[in-house]
Amino acid sequence: MYKKFKWLTVLVAAVLVVMTGCQAVGGLDINKALLTSLDVKSSESKASIRFEVVPSDKALSTEDKEAIDLINSLSLNMDHAIVQDSKTVSIQGSIQYSDKKIPLHVSMDSKGMAIQLEGAKQPFYLSMDTTVPGLPDTSQYEQAIQDVVKKAAGLVLKHFPNPSTIAVKSAQEKVNGESLNLTHLHMELTGEEILNMVKPFAESLLKDEAGLKQVIGDAYDAIYPMITSIGEAYGEDIELLPQESKEEVVASLYEIVHGALIEFTENYDEQKEQLLEELPGSETVFGKDTILKLDYYFDEQLNTRKNALELTVALPASEDLPLKAFKVYSEGEVWNIGGAVKANQVDTSKGVLDVLNESVTPGQVLRNFEKDSQIYNVLKDDLKITHKTMFLSPESDDYGYGVIKKNNQSFVPLRYLTDQLDAEVKWTKGSKKITVVNDLTGEEIVLTVGSKTASVGGKNVTLQAAPFVHNNGSTYVPLRFMAEALGATLHLEGDGWISIKRD
């Protein structure tokens, strides 16, 4: 799959570079204007992004039509975003698809990101704590690294050529209801032009020895103190850079970058032709029908106050992908730049669901939503996040993965079955009692090795056969009982294998 659509990755990378590279036009210092947009300032804004796929001319299946209609109805709306500072942001808006609208509230600070979706009992949380126990806090170096990124972007802007279609004019636009006199920058370029702009950029960059060395030196100043502090924390010197001085490091790294640029420019035409030959359909993607349109509106301080993007990616004819184009539209407005604003933080006082925790299961995610909420039905019925299918060999198995027949009863390894169905297993220390937590419902299933008495959700049941410990050390439980208690059903396949399915 990756190889098949590798050209799409190449296109996205090229587009990102082009979006940041233009020279002065019509009296507007575009480089300075775009660099100003990289400065994180307090502000308020709103934005939207939507998607569209254009079907091919061939007849579509019902399934394809439904998928296309779903994608074409999808949009993300940020009704009110607040940037308090570079680390503190909040967004209130919604996700829309078909006739459904799911409100959301996102907030981010230095510790992490919280996402509150309508119907969720607790917000989802993504920790951004990058500190490592025993190592120093490197957050003090973040600003210096961000400054280097901006300087590197400035170097790209300086050398990237203008697209063939570019214009600057005065415009009166409304931003958050206020009419403003702005400078409108409009750019257009095709997929073919994107590829043809890369080599001139590299050739121009190759000639700027001073600029490259400056950025490398700035990177050294930002990163080397951090490396040193980590080394000191270990109580030893880390000799990642064996040269004795900054000048030697810069000179050495410049030679590497310079050599790579020379090789790239010398081989670019050949590599481009090879790319177009080896990747089926790439001549369509990088052709005249792939079009990027960009509109920026700047105020007198060169702050971006309004923007719009329209990207059309032409797709090659394919039996597997009944589409001829994919489109992305986005637009936004920014106001109150540099004003005294405060982000609206998501309430995390009642706990969060840490989605980066490896132990978070599909059932936990689903149970975090009220059953009558829209997203509960989306996750369960549309995305089928709790759907599971597994197969068991009908042959006796001594390795803990197959079925064992005993007294005409089928037994399955407890650990294997519960792992496959995301159930939690708790052992009562010093006893033969086992508690299994159903991932779908959260209810407890209690069994005892050697006993036919069990309970499901607090209700006692009698098993046809008791769980036992096999000579391989694994605990085996009655297959049908355990599978059905965990919300699954059994099916005997034609070849004798047993399938276990959970919707």
Side-chain angles (χ1 to χ4, degrees):
M1 186 73 172
Y2 170 74
K3 289 183 178 179
K4 184 175 181 180
F5 296 107
K6 183 179 176 183
W7 43 262
L8 195 55
T9 305
V10 176
L11 173 66
V12 171
V15 166
L16 291 175
V17 174
V18 172
M19 287 171 62
T20 60
C22 292
Q23 308 300 317
V25 174
L28 174 67
D29 188 339
I30 301 175
N31 292 1
K32 186 175 181 181
L34 293 176
L35 280 177
T36 299
S37 68
L38 295 179
D39 288 329
V40 179
K41 303 174 183 176
S42 60
S43 65
E44 296 179 77
S45 63
K46 62 181 178 180
S48 65
I49 181 170
R50 64 184 181 87
F51 307 93
E52 179 186 353
V53 290
V54 181
S56 62
D57 297 328
K58 73 173 190 176
L60 299 176
S61 67
T62 301
E63 184 179 7
D64 287 337
K65 288 180 181 178
E66 291 177 351
I68 289 172
D69 289 342
L70 178 62
I71 294 172
N72 290 348
S73 71
L74 182 64
S75 67
L76 172 62
N77 304 297
M78 293 172 278
D79 300 324
H80 191 198
I82 300 175
V83 177
Q84 182 174 324
D85 53 50
S86 62
K87 295 182 179 179
T88 313
V89 179
S90 67
I91 299 172
Q92 290 169 287
S94 64
I95 299 172
Q96 289 185 259
Y97 70 98
S98 299
D99 58 346
K100 299 179 176 64
K101 181 178 180 179
I102 302 175
L104 61 83
H105 180 190
V106 179
S107 67
M108 181 178 70
D109 56 24
S110 59
K111 295 180 180 179
M113 177 187 294
I115 304 171
Q116 180 66 58
L117 295 168
E118 185 178 67
K121 301 171 186 176
Q122 292 182 328
F124 294 92
Y125 193 76
L126 291 82
S127 176
M128 295 183 182
D129 185 4
T130 57
T131 58
V132 179
L135 292 182
D137 182 6
T138 58
S139 60
Q140 59 183 308
Y141 306 108
E142 289 179 2
Q143 186 57 53
I145 293 174
Q146 290 175 10
D147 291 342
V148 171
V149 172
K150 183 179 177 181
K151 290 174 181 177
L155 189 64
V156 171
L157 290 168
K158 178 181 176 182
H159 293 284
F160 216 92
N162 289 342
S164 58
T165 301
I166 185 168
V168 174
K169 64 180 181 179
S170 298
Q172 191 171 52
E173 293 285 329
K174 281 192 174 182
V175 176
N176 193 38
E178 179 184 4
S179 184
L180 301 175
N181 293 318
L182 303 172
T183 300
H184 176 201
L185 167 66
H186 175 76
M187 295 181 285
E188 292 184 23
L189 66 160
T190 66
E192 184 178 30
E193 189 176 0
I194 290 173
L195 282 186
N196 292 335
M197 293 171 74
V198 175
K199 184 178 179 181
F201 161 71
E203 290 175 333
S204 178
L205 186 61
L206 186 59
K207 299 174 184 177
D208 192 358
E209 178 178 347
L212 284 169
K213 285 186 174 180
Q214 182 64 51
V215 170
I216 293 171
D218 292 337
Y220 176 95
D221 291 337
I223 297 173
Y224 192 71
M226 182 173 67
I227 295 175
T228 302
S229 68
I230 293 175
E232 291 174 350
Y234 275 113
E236 58 185 41
D237 294 330
I238 298 182
E239 296 185 358
L240 295 179
L241 302 173
Q243 291 83 357
E244 295 181 359
S245 67
K246 171 185 173 180
E247 289 73 21
E248 288 182 325
V249 173
V250 171
S252 176
L253 292 178
Y254 170 75
E255 288 303 318
I256 294 174
V257 173
H258 185 261
L261 284 172
I262 290 177
E263 182 179 357
F264 178 79
T265 54
E266 289 178 347
N267 299 325
Y268 181 75
D269 292 333
E270 180 182 345
Q271 291 175 346
K272 184 178 73 171
E273 291 304 316
Q274 185 177 355
L275 170 74
L276 296 175
E277 289 178 6
E278 291 183 353
L279 298 178
S282 56
E283 68 280 359
T284 301
V285 176
F286 292 106
K288 59 182 179 59
D289 293 327
T290 288
I291 303 172
L292 172 66
K293 298 179 182 179
L294 290 167
D295 290 277
Y296 289 95
Y297 296 83
F298 302 102
D299 62 16
E300 293 181 350
Q301 289 74 42
L302 297 182
N303 295 311
T304 302
R305 302 301 300 274
K306 197 170 183 177
N307 60 79
L309 174 149
E310 180 181 331
L311 172 63
T312 300
V313 180
L315 300 175
S318 169
E319 291 296 326
D320 299 326
L321 194 67
L323 307 174
K324 60 182 177 182
F326 175 75
K327 298 184 177 183
V328 181
Y329 305 90
S330 73
E331 56 185 14
E333 302 176 10
V334 186
W335 65 93
N336 200 11
I337 298 175
V341 297
K342 187 174 182 179
N344 297 318
Q345 295 294 327
V346 171
D347 182 8
T348 59
S349 61
K350 296 181 181 179
V352 298
L353 186 62
D354 187 351
V355 295
L356 297 183
N357 188 326
E358 293 182 358
S359 64
V360 173
T361 64
Q364 283 180 288
V365 172
L366 192 63
R367 284 187 277 117
N368 191 43
F369 289 94
E370 301 292 347
K371 288 189 176 182
D372 59 353
S373 65
Q374 286 191 48
I375 199 164
Y376 179 93
N377 295 319
V378 170
L379 294 173
K380 186 175 186 298
D381 300 328
D382 298 338
L383 299 181
K384 302 182 184 298
I385 67 167
T386 59
H387 181 80
K388 296 279 185 177
T389 300
M390 60 180 290
F391 294 89
L392 293 172
S393 168
E395 303 295 333
S396 295
D397 175 71
D398 290 333
Y399 299 98
Y401 298 102
V403 172
I404 285 181
K405 291 281 190 177
K406 189 175 181 181
N407 297 327
N408 293 321
Q409 293 291 320
S410 295
F411 290 80
V412 65
L414 172 66
R415 179 63 67 182
Y416 179 64
L417 182 64
T418 54
D419 283 350
Q420 292 295 311
L421 297 178
D422 302 309
E424 181 184 1
V425 178
K426 301 176 182 178
W427 295 85
T428 302
K429 190 175 182 179
S431 75
K432 297 180 179 181
K433 183 179 177 181
I434 309 164
T435 301
V436 179
V437 182
N438 187 335
D439 187 47
L440 292 184
T441 63
E443 68 180 9
E444 293 186 344
I445 303 156
V446 181
L447 309 96
T448 303
V449 173
S451 172
K452 292 184 179 181
T453 301
S455 68
V456 179
K459 297 181 180 180
N460 290 333
V461 296
T462 300
L463 306 178
Q464 289 186 330
F468 66 92
V469 177
H470 192 44
N471 54 24
N472 62 9
S474 295
T475 298
Y476 280 69
V477 293
L479 171 58
R480 182 173 295 277
F481 163 77
M482 198 72 247
E484 292 179 351
L486 293 176
T489 56
L490 300 182
H491 302 273
L492 184 62
E493 304 299 321
D495 55 4
W497 280 69
I498 301 170
S499 67
I500 299 177
K501 298 181 179 180
R502 185 186 72 185
D503 294 328

